[in-house]
Amino acid sequence: MEDISKYRKTKILVTMGPSIERDFSKISDIIDGVRFNMSHAPKAEILEFLEILNKKNISKLMDLKGNKIRIKEVNRDKLFENERVIFGKDIVPNYMPKCIEKGHRILINDGKVVLIVENIENDQIIAKVIVGGILIKNMGVNLPESCFPSTISKEDIENIKFAIENDFEYLALSFVRTKEEIENLKDVIRFYGGKCSVIAKIETKEGLKNISEILDVSDGVMIARGDLGVEIPIEYLPTIQKDIIKLANEKGKLVITATQMLDSMVNNPYPTRAEVTDIANAIFDGTDCLMLSNETTIGKYPIESVKTLDRVSRVSECDISKHRKEFHFEKKTVYAGIAYAVDALYRNLNPKIVITPTTSGKTPLRISKFRFNSPIIALAPTQIVFRKLRLIWGVIPHKIDEIGDVDEVLLISREIAKELVKSGIYIVTLGHPKGEKKTNVIKVENI
Ligand SMILES: Nc1ncnc2c1ncn2[C@@H]1O[C@H](COP(=O)(O)OP(=O)(O)O)[C@@H](O)[C@H]1O
Ligand SMILES: C=C(OP(=O)(O)O)C(=O)O
Ligand SMILES: [K+]
Ligand SMILES: [Mg+2]
């Protein structure tokens, strides 16, 4: 481990795609995670990057299609206002929702093209074009008023197997509406012997309505502002973002804020004032991770986008305690109690670092919720947890062979502390006795 002041606390996740692939080596030391969007990424692309990602210990997130609807076939390349088309014949989606009804909206290409279901006759869905525009195969379709079956497709299952075989740290599920979908995904992961964490992408009204129970069964959440901004009136996004981040933190879950963080940089080498302010506000709200999509997949300035995110994050986070809000865990557990106690010690003693050995990664995640200016050094005995920790705010993961007894952990911690800080107080969380996979002791140490 090097100089701790070099580490950024806010984590950066980028979507892999043609733009960033060409110059990947220029950002591989800046980013913390890579997302492969299975709606676009070929498996060959993933295989090509596995080696470098693992070498750099970059966290790998596979974004499963889930219930995302896209245009499978289309018999025209443009729609005109007031025109009528048959949804399912002129525009064929990859699958039909169950309960599409008269009056429901059909939104295409992030809501740019708008149709309304005018009539359903002999199973034919006749829709009137309200706002016309271009149609291309594979464009996303949103049906905000219609409901869907909660299934994981055969293709999703193939992708999950592939993710497990290739040691992905995270699996994200698109268009989650109910907790059962996450539970199903977890069953599939368990069935194939996987250890990936599960991220629920919140991008529909129903997902929002069920957010509390969805979060209870997930390891983390992605605020998927792209689709969410189409499925709900866009003016609700800011408060929803704040509410989701707060709830995720109170439940001790990972939170990723995604989409259009630097949208103008798809075409320009510099950001707008509004974008840099949005990045900073997401950090002040308490996001762990910021994600780039179009900026790094099809954008003209992928490197500049990553560097901008890096610079803005560093400046915004540097005195995070100033932006700290009253914070409480939802559940009063031993785990929460330990985290509160570390926070109380932190505020009174101002330690240089906090060291947390962890088997699941949950202890550093919970402690990180208090947003210290000092880093949390998380000691991980497994490769997968080590890399999962890269996406947690303020955490510097450190790989160890195994978590020994209290004396052994204190010895390793002292060596690490000596290397990282010359003198001063540091805090170590511990599990006693050895093998107890629970954090139940805190030691205040001094060099
Ligand atoms: N791995 C990839 N290979 C090729 N093109 C990609 C890849 N990932 C994304 N893209 C392109 O970048 C666009 C934006 O990416 P993303 O935000 O992940 O997808 P979308 O907005 O379609 O859900 C996609 O619509 C697609 O055209
Ligand atoms: C992250 C999102 O999902 P995707 O890019 O897969 O549409 C989003 O909708 O904001
Ligand atoms: K997706
Ligand atoms: Mg989406």
Side-chain angles (χ1 to χ4, degrees), residues 300-357:
K300 288 192 198 142
Y301 302 98
I303 308 297
E304 290 82 351
S305 298
V306 172
K307 289 188 173 166
T308 302
L309 208 47
D310 175 61
R311 289 202 314 274
V312 179
S313 298
R314 283 177 189 273
V315 173
S316 307
E317 72 188 21
C318 79
D319 193 5
I320 197 76
S321 52
K322 219 167 59 187
H323 303 279
R324 193 182 138 124
K325 297 172 195 82
E326 217 13 61
F327 170 77
H328 295 286
F329 286 109
E330 193 183 80
K331 292 196 181 114
K332 292 193 169 24
T333 59
V334 172
Y335 301 119
I338 291 282
Y340 284 122
V342 171
D343 179 49
L345 290 168
Y346 179 84
R347 285 202 260 177
N348 282 284
L349 304 174
N350 200 21
K352 299 264 175 69
I353 52 173
V354 177
I355 301 178
T356 63

Side-chain angles (χ1 to χ4, degrees), residues 250-292:
E250 285 169 355
K251 289 179 187 286
K253 310 285 174 160
L254 180 77
V255 43
I256 302 167
T257 305
T259 307
Q260 289 190 347
M261 304 285 341
L262 286 169
D263 196 54
S264 75
M265 290 192 75
V266 170
N267 291 309
N268 297 302
Y270 40 79
T272 66
R273 276 73 179 150
E275 285 162 349
V276 298
T277 306
D278 176 51
I279 292 167
N281 278 320
I283 296 170
F284 303 153
D285 289 346
T287 196
D288 285 286
C289 210
L290 300 169
M291 192 173 103
L292 297 176

Side-chain angles (χ1 to χ4, degrees), residues 15 35-40 63-65 68 70 110 140 142 174-175 201-203 222-230 256-260 291-294:
T15 306
R35 169 179 84 136
F36 290 95
N37 186 350
M38 298 318 281
S39 297
H40 309 291
D63 191 328
L64 298 164
K65 287 183 181 177
K68 171 110 187 173
R70 285 183 188 269
D110 290 337
N142 294 84
S174 297
F175 282 79
K201 287 175 72 184
I202 301 300
E203 36 194 350
M222 185 191 293
I223 310 166
R225 306 190 302 185
D227 284 288
L228 199 51
V230 179
I256 302 167
T257 305
T259 307
Q260 289 190 347
M291 192 173 103
L292 297 176
S293 295
N294 284 10

Side-chain angles (χ1 to χ4, degrees), residues 366-416:
R366 269 188 299 265
I367 293 174
S368 115
K369 296 304 180 194
F370 291 97
R371 295 300 190 256
F372 301 156
N373 284 334
S374 304
I376 298 164
I377 315 294
L379 311 181
T382 62
Q383 194 67 251
I384 190 159
V385 172
F386 172 61
R387 289 185 186 139
K388 280 181 188 181
L389 291 164
R390 276 215 64 175
L391 295 194
I392 302 174
W393 197 94
V395 169
I396 303 175
H398 184 76
K399 177 82 177 59
I400 54 168
D401 293 334
E402 59 155 357
I403 299 177
D405 64 22
V406 165
D407 290 327
E408 285 166 329
V409 174
L410 286 174
L411 213 64
I412 294 177
S413 299
R414 179 160 290 272
E415 274 161 32
I416 291 171

Side-chain angles (χ1 to χ4, degrees), residues 202 208 223 228 232-233 235-246:
I202 301 300
L208 263 183
I223 310 166
L228 199 51
I232 57 154
E235 58 272 24
Y236 288 94
L237 267 187
T239 39
I240 286 171
Q241 171 172 320
K242 283 177 197 294
D243 290 347
I244 296 179
I245 292 177
K246 183 164 183 278

